[in-house]
Amino acid sequence: MRTLLAIALSLAATTAAATDPSWLRTIGTRSHDAAFGLAADPQGGVYLGFVAPAKLDFSSLGLSGAFEPVGSHDSIVLAFAPDGNAKWQQTISGAGRTEVRDVAVTGRGDVLAVGYFFETLEAPEGALRAKGGSDLFIVRIDDDGKRLSTRTFGSKGSESAVGVAAWRGGSVVVGSFEHAIRFGDNEGKPRILAGRGGRDAFVALFDHAGEVVAAHAFGGPGADSALAVAARPGGGFDVLLAHHGGVLVGDQEIGSAGADALLLRFDAEGVLALTQTIASAGPDAFEALAVDSDDRPWVGGRVVSEGALRIGRREQRWLSQGSSDGLVLQLDTDLTLRKAVQFGNDGADSVQGLATGTQGGVLLAAAGVGKLTLGGHALEFDLPQAYVARLNAEGEFTAAAATRSSGVTQSTALSALPGGRYALAGIFEGKIEQAAGESQSVVGKADVFLRNDRW
């Protein structure tokens, strides 16, 4: 009986996956629009951070009302059901520039949106004013689209939150600050992070109620920032930093050959456990981070020209085929280098996002132009176009798919979905290709696309 039931459930899941529709949505105003942050819930619902400087009529998405920016740029969090129908929208706006930079879904099903704002930020309790150039915000939204809370943190300098991930029923938020910043209180005393240079990185931990549990600063004499955070299946989380001129981690001073990256691994209690340097003397950049089902971190970015990359004590040499090549580093659980995957052609190639694969390995979002071969998969573009690819646990390409338009297309966010699906967000110009040879024209100068597809 159990065997028959298992077979029946397997067939039902296979049938559902086979009939689950792929879809493409375009969202645009009369100006330049952008998308930052993409998250998915266990049922396959998708949540997108959208930034626009002009009016957006929600009827184009099947929702009521319209979005009218209060400042120069305002933001919206959009929720989509697995079938592509829009469920709700939540506006995040203010008198100046307000940008959502990342979104995440907590273990309780709430949606978190983080970013920064200038001047003021609208909230149910009234307008919140920035303390300095820009302050960071954390907006919590329930699964019906109702705003539950709005938290802001800032100082006399400029602060921004660029990454958020679920952690132990709460969340981890990362970004940068200037001078000093206060994250609530600790045992009745102000919890203040002091900067060491022009700009420092922060990692802040919150409980399920949105209260600060802990906060850490990482910085040196130059401009430093946390770029991405990824939760680990085994508990804890990893953070990717960029630093210039060295960075202080606890009592350890880590040097720099130029614009270097640093990977931090925190344990399940939120305590820093391991660090790994990714050092280069050239203008290489690493901005994407994911952790696979085996708790191995993957770091993505681009390499330029010829040179050497140092990961801990190991050196990885390369010669880019064009002005830049995409590079993905697979590290082991002790943060030593396991494999480096380089790809490109005679144009400019780069990795713009990574996501944990639901079938092991990772997914990558990238952009390129010309002829490109990823394992046994060939792509060719006349103009820079966005594409997504899949790497298995051994670092081998097993699939690739392009999102094409008559103009330039760029990837900005990526998320893995249940059932071997993925969601890809980005911007496009001209006409973007849809199913059955159809296309959708841009409304303004550059619109946002959201693609939900399977391999």
Side-chain angles (χ1 to χ4, degrees):
M1 177 64 75
R2 288 184 178 180
T3 302
L4 291 174
L5 178 60
I7 293 173
L9 290 174
S10 177
L11 288 173
T14 302
T15 302
T19 58
D20 198 11
S22 297
W23 47 267
L24 178 71
R25 298 288 179 267
T26 60
I27 313 160
T29 71
R30 294 294 180 183
S31 188
H32 289 276
D33 307 307
F36 300 108
L38 188 61
D41 61 30
Q43 293 73 40
V46 179
Y47 305 87
L48 175 71
F50 177 79
V51 181
K55 181 179 179 180
L56 174 65
D57 188 347
F58 289 128
S59 64
S60 63
L61 298 171
L63 299 173
S64 60
F67 163 75
E68 190 76 56
V70 178
S72 62
H73 289 72
D74 282 353
S75 298
I76 311 168
V77 178
L78 293 163
F80 294 86
D83 62 3
N85 290 321
K87 297 193 301 181
W88 51 258
Q89 57 82 19
Q90 176 62 239
T91 300
I92 304 175
S93 60
R97 187 184 185 101
T98 305
E99 283 201 10
V100 58
R101 301 297 297 187
D102 199 14
V103 295
V105 180
T106 72
R108 295 175 173 241
D110 294 336
V111 179
L112 296 177
V114 303
Y116 65 89
F117 71 99
F118 289 85
E119 297 185 32
T120 64
L121 181 70
E122 299 297 322
E125 60 270 27
L128 305 175
R129 184 166 295 278
K131 298 179 177 66
S134 67
D135 283 8
L136 68 94
F137 67 78
I138 305 168
V139 171
R140 183 182 295 267
I141 309 164
D142 70 13
D143 57 4
D144 291 323
K146 178 184 177 182
R147 188 186 296 204
L148 298 176
S149 64
T150 305
R151 299 289 304 274
T152 65
F153 300 90
S155 69
K156 64 180 181 180
S158 292
E159 288 73 43
S160 65
V162 298
V164 59
W167 173 76
R168 294 186 60 180
S171 61
V172 183
V173 179
V174 303
S176 62
F177 70 98
E178 292 180 334
H179 309 305
I181 186 172
R182 178 179 177 178
F183 281 103
D185 295 330
N186 182 23
E187 297 181 349
K189 298 181 180 179
R191 182 188 285 107
I192 297 176
L193 303 183
R196 299 184 66 238
R199 197 169 186 87
D200 288 355
F202 75 82
V203 177
L205 285 66
F206 297 82
D207 63 17
H208 63 86
E211 298 300 321
V212 182
V213 175
H216 310 281
F218 303 94
D224 313 304
S225 179
L227 302 177
V229 57
R232 297 206 313 276
F237 55 92
D238 294 349
V239 177
L240 181 64
L241 304 182
H243 65 99
H244 299 71
V247 61
L248 182 66
V249 179
D251 297 329
Q252 181 185 7
E253 188 78 43
I254 297 176
S256 171
D260 291 349
L262 178 68
L263 186 63
L264 307 177
R265 170 152 288 198
F266 292 79
D267 65 19
E269 302 302 317
V271 177
L272 181 61
L274 293 171
T275 65
Q276 183 61 284
T277 58
I278 304 173
S280 169
D284 310 305
F286 296 89
E287 300 176 350
L289 174 67
V291 181
D292 66 22
S293 57
D294 294 319
D295 263 4
R296 296 190 181 106
W298 299 64
V299 177
R302 68 178 186 274
V303 291
V304 181
S305 186
E306 180 179 5
L309 193 70
R310 182 171 52 82
I311 301 96
R313 296 181 179 179
R314 182 171 171 180
E315 187 173 272
Q316 179 75 31
R317 300 200 65 84
W318 75 87
L319 174 63
S320 64
Q321 300 179 60
S323 57
S324 67
D325 277 10
L327 183 65
V328 177
L329 304 173
Q330 181 194 35
L331 286 76
D332 222 321
T333 54
D334 62 357
L335 304 192
T336 57
L337 180 64
R338 183 179 177 89
K339 187 172 184 178
V341 182
Q342 180 185 347
F343 57 94
N345 53 24
D346 56 2
D349 302 283
S350 64
V351 176
Q352 298 164 326
L354 290 172
T356 303
T358 57
Q359 301 171 345
V362 296
L363 311 180
L364 67 88
V369 63
K371 294 182 178 180
L372 185 67
T373 301
L374 305 174
H377 307 275
L379 301 173
E380 185 172 359
F381 312 116
D382 294 329
L383 292 171
Q385 299 290 308
Y387 60 91
V388 61
R390 184 173 63 195
L391 287 165
N392 63 17
E394 287 70 45
E396 301 165 334
F397 285 104
T398 60
T403 299
R404 303 172 184 269
S405 76
S406 60
V408 172
T409 308
Q410 182 179 348
S411 305
T412 58
L414 175 69
S415 182
L417 302 176
R421 304 182 68 87
Y422 65 88
L424 177 68
I427 58 175
F428 74 97
E429 300 172 344
K431 292 184 178 181
I432 192 167
E433 294 180 2
Q434 292 182 300
E438 299 175 349
S439 63
Q440 177 70 44
S441 296
V442 70
V443 174
K445 298 177 181 178
D447 285 1
V448 167
F449 72 83
L450 176 59
R451 183 188 189 101
N452 183 314
D453 214 337
R454 65 180 302 108
W455 300 104

